[in-house]
Amino acid sequence: GIEVAKIQSFRTLNTAGDEVVAPSTKVDTNSNAVKVLSPKRQSKDQMRKSLMQDEAVKKFMRMVDVGVPAQAAVHKMKQDGVDEKKIDMFKQLHGLVTAPALPMPPPQKSSTKQKYARITKQDLAKDGTFKKYVKMSTVGVPLMAIVTKMSQDGVEQERIHMFSAAFGLNVPSEGSPKPFPMPPMHHERRRASKALQKIHWTTVAEERLQNSIWASNSNADDDIEDCEIEKLESLFSASPVNKASGVGRKQSTAKNNNAKKPSSLIDPKRANNIAISLAQFRAFSNFDDLCQAVASLDGEHLNIEKLQNMQLLLPKPEELNKLKHFVGQSDSLGRAEKFFLSVMKIPLFPAKLAAFKYSLQFDEQAESLTSSLRLLGEACGEVIASTKLATILKRLLAIGNIMNESAGKPKAAGVTLDSLIKTAKKKGSDGKTTVLDHLINTAMNNKLDFVEFWSDMPTVRDAMRLNLDDFRLLLRECESGAQSVSRTIEKEKSEAECQGGSSGKDTFTEFLHKLQPFLKRALIEIEKIKKLFGDVEKKVQLLCSFFAEDFKTCKASTIFGVLLEFSRLVDKSKEQYHRKVKAAKRRESMAKNR
């Protein structure tokens, strides 16, 4: 055999300073000695420069520079078919070769076990070829699994025998069949020795993999060592069996075996939320009846709120795609998946659901929109027609002009709403009495009725929050909904013609029979609302013009708000007037009593 001293002398990798030795070796079969032929010395800088100039290796050098492990880069070089000599130089530069490979001993007539008798585990641990496999044995990986891994990695049969002999495995004699045949070069899908926890994720379709980050990820599993898999098994093993003892434990096991969990094709959290929401449809014996009720516009057990909730439960495109490719019994699926399957049986179900909801809520929306528009128009008319309001505002403007003219300012023909409020709040030299207080005192003393202007506008307070822009948006939504229903009807007619005399024809007929008259009535009502909206819009324009405001920037609600504030200021001035009158009467009474 090969003497250990000779082998050890060959193993040493000469490294000094920044130089790396890359010897060319050869085994002399006659003298059983190892010779080193023509060693080539290159500095690390020279070797790096040489590799960076090579286009085939340049990108892998950059991968290491940005933090990719050198061993992972070597795996990628092998996958891309880079020349072995370049790979060896790359490994030497990054310190992946700790010693030259052990030379295979010359053939002898002795048995294979005797041939490798002098080679120990320590010898193999110092060899670059065997280093990782020896490390696997130290963390508890079964020896036969390591031998299989060596065969998968393409290690020569003689070296596998050498490893087996060093670790005490049976090694066949020469001429006997090979005990370690090369397995197919692919990994089993399950490399873990026990079940691990599932990860629920959404996979990318094959047609979308091209040019993505996953396009070159086919052999990424090779980078995961068996020792790392063992760590995963310790951290992420499946839920342990309940450790309860005795009869209770057996009963629990029996229950788990009898009650199989339903299969889930969608995200578990979403499936659970959908199953909870579906509880509101218990009036239906199954999901098929529920979907048929929607398709036939049957509102006996359905209302607007339930239909709105159902819209949130409809399947997404990717979920429908999964169900289309599902092969198996539907009984094994969860409640969410069963609901999705029932939805898929009804053509145009989302559109029919939207049309059904629109038909149920249209009358209420139309009535609310009509009454709100009428209220807004009536409020605008009351403000414009109030002579008391016009009188008090003009009187306030006149007082303001008198004050300004005395200060040398020109007379104003009119002022904005904000200016009227400022004028009303203007305090006198006593710091208490305002311009509006003086105006109200004068009016009350002379018994002028314009101070009761707010009684001419009973609907203004209710119209405070009404906005013409909001009504315009609601009217557009009504028109859009009617157009959507019209398109659904046309599609349903085409679908009914395609079905011909099929069993679902009654459902088509019932849907059209109920929805077509509704659409006709809804369109007439929408035209009435549009006409009413136009009339109210003109009244709002007149209201803005009445106060010399721009219709494009001023809203009716703004004018109503100013009038409400002004009326509160008037009420406050009236209360002060009445307190002064009562105080004067008390003083007069006290004077008489004296």
Side-chain angles (χ1 to χ4, degrees), residues 241-242 249-261:
V241 181
N242 186 12
R249 178 181 175 182
K250 294 181 180 179
Q251 291 177 351
S252 177
T253 304
K255 288 181 180 180
N256 292 335
N257 291 336
N258 293 333
K260 294 182 178 179
K261 290 184 177 181

Side-chain angles (χ1 to χ4, degrees), residues 148-176:
T148 303
K149 178 64 175 174
M150 295 174 70
S151 299
Q152 293 175 350
D153 292 348
V155 179
E156 297 178 4
Q157 200 69 35
E158 287 294 332
R159 297 190 181 279
I160 297 177
H161 292 167
M162 189 184 300
F163 178 87
S164 302
F167 281 86
L169 295 177
N170 292 329
V171 182
S173 302
E174 294 182 359
S176 62

Side-chain angles (χ1 to χ4, degrees), residues 259-303:
K260 294 182 178 179
K261 290 184 177 181
S263 302
S264 179
L265 300 179
I266 63 177
D267 177 64
K269 184 176 181 180
R270 172 168 161 77
N272 183 58
N273 292 336
I274 292 176
I276 294 173
S277 300
L278 288 172
Q280 61 188 300
F281 304 107
R282 291 173 181 169
F284 299 92
S285 59
N286 53 60
F287 296 131
D288 287 344
D289 293 344
L290 171 61
C291 295
Q292 285 295 334
V294 174
S296 58
L297 306 183
D298 184 2
E300 181 179 358
H301 300 294
L302 295 172
N303 54 31

